Amino acid sequence: QVQLQESGPRLVKSSETLSLTCTVSGGSISSSYWNWVRQPAGKGLEWIGRIYSSGNTNYNPSLKSRVTMSVDTSKKQFSLKLTSVTAADTAVYYCAREGFTEAFDSWGQGTLVTVSS
Amino acid sequence: SYELTQPPSLSVSPGQTASLTCSGDKLGDKYASWYQQKPGQPPVVVIYQDTKRPSGIPERFSGSNSGNTATLTIAGTQSVDEADYYCQAWDSITVIFGGGTKLTVL
């Protein structure tokens, strides 16, 4: 079973860039879509976007102007950058694998990122 | 933009059947997935492609999807099923999540 682990700064200043990395273990990073999902405290899930192992990306239209995703297959990692953050970007950020079923079948434990003023 | 609507809460007694709904325009034309999320934990897929259960998910979980509504049914609900449940579908190349239903078993 593939395992995912998010890493990155837990505190980001307002207007700066949030950067997170997800490390894949226990399986291949190739031939799959890798996603980022976030969840503000007490609220629902919001899809941020996805990246294929080849580097193709799709982003949530509401975040597209601020989001960049990348993948490093040699390190079995994929990354998220979210620019110009505000308090509204404070959330638990999850990375997740999209299986061939089009569902998210593996998730990281999530990491809380707080945007401070 | 496409939206999925879920009732915010549902309460059932242990042993009863819980029916959680997810509504969206022509949702039946898309695949729906369902996720269970307990406090402090990541979501876990319990139903995918409308009706399929991943290995390890109890048989009491089942799903259906037709018209504008997808339904997650939990037969013989147990206290361990108390959680938030989210439906999810694809709108072209965009993932949409419902707002979630908090299932209380009491």
Side-chain angles (χ1 to χ4, degrees), chain A residues 6 26-30 45 53 60 68 78 84 86 106-107:
Chain A
E6 304 90 350
S28 175
I29 195 171
S30 300
L45 302 170
S53 49
N60 185 326
T68 302
F78 61 102
S84 304
T86 69
S106 296
W107 295 70

Side-chain angles (χ1 to χ4, degrees), chain A residues 35 37 39 43-47 50 58-61 94 98 100-105 107-109, chain B residues 31 33 35 37 40-45 47-49 84 86 88 90 93-99:
Chain A
N35 291 256
V37 177
Q39 184 173 36
K43 297 189 178 181
L45 302 170
E46 179 179 32
W47 180 72
R50 68 176 183 172
N58 301 113
Y59 300 141
N60 185 326
Y94 295 101
E98 178 187 327
F100 298 117
T101 62
E102 299 182 354
F104 299 155
D105 59 5
W107 295 70
Q109 284 300 307
Chain B
Y31 274 141
S33 298
Y35 300 85
Q37 187 180 33
Q41 297 182 21
V44 173
V45 60
I47 293 291
Y48 66 93
Q49 291 181 350
D84 294 327
Y86 295 91
Q88 174 251 313
W90 287 84
I93 55 173
T94 301
V95 171
I96 308 296
F97 286 103

Side-chain angles (χ1 to χ4, degrees), chain A residues 23-41:
Chain A
T23 302
V24 179
S25 61
S28 175
I29 195 171
S30 300
S31 304
S32 288
Y33 275 103
W34 302 93
N35 291 256
W36 289 96
V37 177
R38 70 181 182 179
Q39 184 173 36

Side-chain angles (χ1 to χ4, degrees), chain A residues 47-114:
Chain A
W47 180 72
I48 299 171
R50 68 176 183 172
I51 186 165
Y52 193 65
S53 49
S54 64
N56 291 339
T57 56
N58 301 113
Y59 300 141
N60 185 326
S62 68
L63 298 169
K64 187 175 183 178
S65 64
R66 299 194 291 131
V67 172
T68 302
M69 294 182 184
S70 60
V71 62
D72 186 335
T73 54
S74 66
K75 293 183 178 179
K76 297 181 71 174
Q77 294 178 333
F78 61 102
S79 299
L80 166 71
K81 290 189 185 298
L82 181 66
T83 62
S84 304
V85 297
T86 69
D89 295 309
T90 294
V92 174
Y93 285 75
Y94 295 101
C95 55
R97 184 182 74 171
E98 178 187 327
F100 298 117
T101 62
E102 299 182 354
F104 299 155
D105 59 5
S106 296
W107 295 70
Q109 284 300 307
T111 187
L112 173 62
V113 179
T114 302

Side-chain angles (χ1 to χ4, degrees), chain B residues 16-103:
Chain B
Q16 285 191 330
T17 295
S19 295
L20 293 79
T21 60
C22 173
S23 299
D25 184 48
K26 298 181 181 178
L27 179 56
D29 292 343
K30 310 176 188 295
Y31 274 141
S33 298
W34 290 89
Y35 300 85
Q36 176 193 71
Q37 187 180 33
K38 297 183 178 181
Q41 297 182 21
V44 173
V45 60
V46 294
I47 293 291
Y48 66 93
Q49 291 181 350
D50 296 339
T51 62
K52 299 177 181 177
R53 268 183 301 105
S55 60
I57 300 302
E59 291 185 7
R60 64 180 181 274
F61 288 86
S62 63
S64 63
N65 186 14
S66 179
N68 294 324
T69 303
T71 303
L72 172 68
T73 302
I74 309 173
T77 306
Q78 301 179 8
S79 58
V80 69
D81 300 327
E82 185 163 292
D84 294 327
Y85 290 84
Y86 295 91
C87 59
Q88 174 251 313
W90 287 84
D91 180 34
S92 183
I93 55 173
T94 301
V95 171
I96 308 296
F97 286 103
T101 296
K102 181 176 182 60
L103 177 66

